[in-house]
Amino acid sequence: MKFCAVKQYFDDENNNNITSGASTTMIPLPNVESHPLAILITYCKKHLKIKANNADNKKETEKEMEQYEQELLKKVMPQELTELILAANYLNFKEALDFFCRAVASAIQNKSIEFVRKFFGLESDFELGEEEKLREEFAWSFEGVDED
Amino acid sequence: MEQRQRIERPERAKRRDQKQRKRLSTARRNAFTTNTDIISDLPDSLLSHILSFLPTRNSVATSILSSRWRPLWTLVPALHLVQRKLTHNPNYSFADIVSGILTVRDSISDPMPLHKLIIYWYQNCLPSNVNTWLRATNLRDLQELDLHIFNNVHQPLELPRSIYFSTTLVVLILMASILLNPPPACVLPCLRILELTRVKFANRDSLSTFLTACPALLSLSLTLCGSNFEHWDEFNVVVLVPTLKTLRLHWHVQSSSYKFQINTPALEYFNFEGFLNGNNVVENLPSVVECVLQFEQCVLMDVEVYAKRVRDFMGPLCNVISMEFSTITAQILCHDFNREDSPTFYNLSSLKLFGGISSEWYAWREVRLLLFRAPKLQILTFEWKHLFGLSIYKPNPCLEEPLDVPECLSSHLTTCHYKGFEGKEEEMELVRQILEAAKVLKSMKISVTSCLGLKSKLLIREKLGKFQRSSQNCKIAFEEGRFT
């Protein structure tokens, strides 16, 4: 069960011995929008499908999963990533959480601070001189970044 | 019920889009910047989770984004302090950078306990600095410790005593100028993975004491060279670990004064590289499924004596299913191979020969001999790889086809893969012989080295296509690759 937050509902059902076909219990997910939920469900299904297709071959599974993830990232906007991260965290879906967090990290890796501020939509709220002090303290980390 | 759902869906989608647009425009109205803030909704724990995927230099740099972001990098429970990755600028000293990082981390009230600490220091290394850093850092919850300390001048680094009693450490990787000095009562109940590469030992009992202290050890990698213990007359490396599943032993020790003894009943994977000059003991390996062998050639004794040592070494490994060995190993093994004491590999299903596989290394003759001892072999692979060392035989690529065909070739071999094909005469002959003899072969894959010209590659394909195949279903596939 990938969506660990949802697991408890299925466990409860088994205890109540519901035998008729597909369950009709509605599972409330108040903190998840439908749009990111749909993406997460697709991601999960794809992950399980790839795993089943390549049961013995771990390398093939990883390769196919990587290809699918690359394609998925092309379609997702930066602002959607935040929603996906929150949703995956709420649902306790570790693989998706790590994947989308890694995607955000890749987007800002080795970029200048100005780029990162623009990308996230952040503004500096430091006192005068505080930022200069920080720049001096960690000067080694600001060098050698990619051109914007 | 269903009809109503079908009508509702586009309406629902429209409502959802409107809601999203409304949210974005509200954010735009509220934002001071021209760009929407897409990140501040996330809690600190998720922001630091994102930072945990960044290299340390980028993660530390985010402290300047805003006052909220200033301490976030210290919430990441891992520190990767690799000299070459923190900065390329020689004006910044690694020691100063690391001290700065640790000072800031320690100044946070209620600091995040470290789970993972990696320090790789190659140039101008001062082990005493690393000593200070380790002792000043809270290592109580440490799960992984990885130290590569390169220095030839100063005293090696001594680990803090608390490491030898850690109840949380799972992975310990030590390389080079580090002294292993375990106290007699040390115990590491959670340690699963241990890698010791050219480390120093305090005394001749240090290694056995340490291994006894790890009751749950699953994987051990030991790389040793003569200078690890040359100040002792004899030194035995004894590996008696009942839980061990993976063992890599690289024994670059030429002298016969030093020996190793291996007795690991649960072992499944065994990788050995090195000399067999001492009277080494290898026993009790009933579960080994896969092994990789790269013996260095014999320098201190007659080839016959050395070859017997190699055969005795491989005796306990005769149940393996998959085996890889180097061309030198093949040459040593086949010296006088058809004696009664040569091992037979009844379960061997996959065999790979790696190294220089053509010209003076042409080992097809030896491999054919070995195939007689692997009656159920299904997969045969040749891989070109650069190895140091000289061939023990003079070049003599015997291209004559022997009369006997090994049983596995005619009745079991289904897959053959040649990686690093250059189109040389002896390589073509090898492939020709296999194609001719292998009656149930399904796939012959040739990975041609990409430095050949297009014309040569086409010529090779043409020639190989013309070879007679005794298996009707056999497909020949070509691909390119780089082989080093």
Side-chain angles (χ1 to χ4, degrees):
Chain A
M1 172 69 56
K2 293 286 173 180
F3 290 14
C4 299
V6 167
K7 189 174 181 200
Q8 56 177 348
Y9 288 95
F10 285 83
D11 285 342
D12 285 344
E13 269 185 29
N14 285 332
N15 289 339
N16 292 336
N17 287 325
I18 293 185
T19 50
S20 65
S23 94
T24 51
T25 312
M26 283 213 347
I27 300 169
L29 295 173
N31 288 342
V32 189
E33 297 275 342
S34 56
H35 182 57
L37 181 62
I39 297 183
L40 287 176
I41 290 175
T42 317
Y43 181 92
C44 185
K45 277 187 181 161
K46 190 76 186 179
H47 193 186
L48 291 170
K49 187 169 163 211
I50 292 178
K51 231 176 164 180
N53 281 349
N54 295 314
D56 290 325
N57 198 338
K58 212 174 168 198
K59 262 191 189 164
E60 272 303 307
T61 310
E62 280 174 19
K63 213 168 109 181
E64 266 195 63
M65 201 59 206
E66 256 184 64
Q67 276 175 344
Y68 166 69
E69 285 173 348
Q70 291 303 320
E71 287 302 311
L72 180 62
L73 280 182
K74 288 182 192 160
K75 300 178 199 154
V76 173
M77 302 288 297
Q79 43 266 52
E80 291 177 289
L81 281 174
T82 312
E83 289 182 351
L84 286 162
I85 290 174
L86 281 169
N89 185 49
Y90 176 73
L91 290 168
N92 205 346
F93 183 1
K94 187 172 190 311
E95 284 90 350
L97 177 64
D98 285 351
F99 168 60
F100 291 115
C101 285
R102 241 184 292 125
V104 175
S106 303
I108 63 168
Q109 184 160 331
N110 217 35
K111 295 278 192 271
S112 71
I113 287 299
E114 287 72 33
F115 177 95
V116 178
R117 278 210 184 114
K118 233 172 105 181
F119 182 81
F120 284 152
L122 291 171
E123 264 223 341
S124 167
D125 59 349
F126 284 119
E127 302 262 330
L128 217 61
E130 222 180 320
E131 189 172 320
E132 277 72 46
K133 255 174 59 185
L134 275 174
R135 272 203 188 270
E136 218 183 288
E137 192 176 351
F138 296 125
W140 53 272
S141 70
F142 299 118
E143 289 192 358
V145 292
D146 295 342
E147 299 265 324
D148 280 356
Chain B
M1 182 61 131
E2 285 213 37
Q3 220 182 5
R4 196 142 51 103
Q5 281 183 343
R6 251 185 276 136
I7 297 169
E8 276 187 333
R9 224 171 272 144
E11 299 244 327
R12 230 188 287 144
K14 203 169 147 196
R15 262 183 275 139
R16 182 200 68 206
D17 280 336
Q18 279 177 341
K19 224 167 101 183
Q20 210 175 27
R21 257 181 270 136
K22 201 170 160 200
R23 243 187 301 135
L24 284 175
S25 63
T26 315
R28 270 201 214 100
R29 262 187 270 128
N30 290 342
F32 295 122
T33 59
T34 49
N35 288 325
T36 326
D37 185 337
I38 58 169
I39 195 83
S40 300
D41 280 342
L42 295 180
D44 283 0
S45 57
L46 287 180
L47 289 179
S48 70
H49 193 58
I50 293 174
L51 291 183
S52 72
F53 293 106
L54 280 175
T56 305
R57 47 182 270 119
N58 294 154
S59 167
V60 169
T62 63
S63 60
I64 214 177
L65 285 174
S66 76
S67 56
R68 182 190 175 196
W69 280 79
R70 188 167 173 173
L72 287 180
W73 67 270
T74 67
L75 295 179
V76 179
L79 274 180
H80 290 233
L81 305 167
V82 177
Q83 185 180 32
R84 290 172 188 159
K85 296 230 171 103
L86 286 184
T87 178
H88 293 298
N89 188 335
N91 292 329
Y92 298 112
S93 98
F94 181 72
D96 288 341
I97 292 175
V98 173
S99 296
I101 289 175
L102 291 176
T103 311
V104 173
R105 247 187 141 261
D106 286 340
S107 68
I108 307 284
S109 60
D110 201 19
M112 177 68 78
L114 259 187
H115 287 167
K116 188 166 162 186
L117 177 60
I118 297 180
I119 305 179
Y120 289 11
W121 198 352
Y122 308 102
Q123 286 172 341
N124 307 318
C125 173
L126 295 167
S128 55
N129 278 32
V130 183
N131 200 349
T132 314
W133 297 332
L134 288 176
R135 277 157 226 283
T137 310
N138 179 1
L139 302 174
R140 242 177 300 132
D141 294 290
L142 203 63
Q143 293 169 10
E144 184 172 334
L145 179 61
D146 186 350
L147 304 173
H148 292 207
I149 308 291
F150 289 75
N151 110 94
N152 288 325
V153 179
H154 306 96
Q155 292 289 334
L157 171 73
E158 276 210 52
L159 294 176
R161 196 186 149 87
S162 59
I163 291 289
Y164 294 112
F165 294 93
S166 167
T167 52
T168 53
L169 201 64
V170 176
V171 178
L172 180 60
I173 301 175
L174 303 175
M175 186 189 280
S177 196
I178 300 171
L179 183 75
L180 196 76
N181 188 10
C186 77
V187 60
L188 290 121
C190 291
L191 198 71
R192 296 266 189 282
I193 299 176
L194 176 62
E195 281 181 35
L196 301 174
T197 308
R198 298 192 302 275
V199 301
K200 315 256 181 279
F201 301 107
N203 57 59
R204 56 169 68 201
D205 291 321
S206 301
L207 184 56
S208 352
T209 307
F210 195 76
L211 289 177
T212 319
C214 310
L217 198 65
L218 288 178
S219 165
L220 173 61
S221 291
L222 271 178
T223 301
L224 302 159
C225 54
S227 59
N228 286 137
F229 31 77
E230 63 194 4
H231 32 278
W232 298 307
D233 290 327
E234 286 180 0
F235 187 68
N236 283 7
V237 167
V238 178
V239 182
L240 286 172
V241 183
T243 50
L244 204 67
K245 291 224 163 122
T246 303
L247 174 61
R248 286 183 180 81
L249 178 60
H250 291 192
W251 184 258
H252 299 300
V253 179
Q254 272 202 37
S255 161
S256 56
S257 314
Y258 308 114
K259 317 182 190 34
F260 58 82
Q261 183 185 346
I262 299 170
N263 185 323
T264 45
L267 202 69
E268 290 172 6
Y269 174 88
F270 186 21
N271 179 321
F272 180 84
E273 191 183 303
F275 298 94
L276 280 186
N277 289 330
N279 280 318
N280 309 296
V281 174
V282 175
E283 59 192 2
N284 199 6
L285 304 174
S287 324
V288 176
V289 164
E290 199 181 327
C291 71
V292 177
L293 302 171
Q294 191 176 325
F295 297 109
E296 302 293 353
Q297 71 202 32
C298 111
V299 289
L300 293 183
M301 60 194 78
D302 285 337
V303 181
E304 281 86 27
V305 181
Y306 200 69
K308 175 154 196 330
R309 293 229 174 134
V310 169
R311 284 196 294 272
D312 288 343
F313 187 101
M314 292 182 73
L317 296 169
C318 57
N319 289 329
V320 291
I321 296 177
S322 159
M323 188 155 68
E324 290 183 27
F325 50 68
S326 64
T327 35
I328 297 183
T329 304
Q331 287 181 344
I332 299 168
L333 202 57
C334 290
H335 190 90
D336 215 8
F337 192 60
N338 285 316
R339 300 159 56 102
E340 298 83 50
D341 60 353
S342 296
T344 303
F345 302 93
Y346 290 106
N347 295 333
L348 194 65
S349 148
S350 167
L351 175 64
K352 180 200 266 202
L353 183 73
F354 62 88
I357 44 185
S358 60
S359 304
E360 74 269 23
W361 293 103
Y362 187 61
W364 178 227
R365 191 176 60 94
E366 281 81 20
V367 173
R368 273 189 82 105
L369 277 178
L370 287 164
L371 291 183
F372 282 102
R373 297 283 175 164
K376 301 234 182 72
L377 193 72
Q378 293 178 359
I379 305 172
L380 179 60
T381 310
F382 299 88
E383 182 167 341
W384 199 98
K385 198 170 162 186
H386 183 79
L387 297 175
F388 294 106
L390 301 165
S391 170
I392 62 175
Y393 295 123
K394 293 210 179 59
N396 177 22
C398 180
L399 295 182
E400 272 176 36
E401 195 172 342
L403 295 169
D404 288 338
V405 176
E407 182 192 335
C408 64
L409 255 195
S410 46
S411 54
H412 284 91
L413 196 73
T414 57
T415 314
C416 183
H417 192 169
Y418 198 110
K419 301 184 188 179
F421 199 81
E422 288 178 311
K424 295 196 178 146
E425 195 187 340
E426 57 268 21
E427 293 177 317
M428 298 290 253
E429 177 60 18
L430 185 158
V431 173
R432 191 197 68 77
Q433 285 187 16
I434 293 179
L435 284 173
E436 192 184 46
K439 299 204 177 89
V440 296
L441 192 68
K442 289 197 192 125
S443 151
M444 167 70 81
K445 196 163 166 193
I446 311 280
S447 301
V448 186
T449 148
S450 45
C451 29
L452 284 180
L454 186 61
K455 215 166 151 189
S456 313
K457 287 180 206 159
L458 287 172
L459 205 65
I460 289 173
R461 278 178 92 129
E462 208 185 304
K463 264 176 146 171
L464 288 173
K466 290 195 185 131
F467 285 156
Q468 181 194 23
R469 297 170 222 185
S470 69
S471 162
Q472 303 292 346
N473 301 323
C474 177
K475 284 196 169 55
I476 302 185
F478 290 90
E479 64 176 22
E480 277 185 38
R482 272 190 204 287
F483 303 96
T484 47

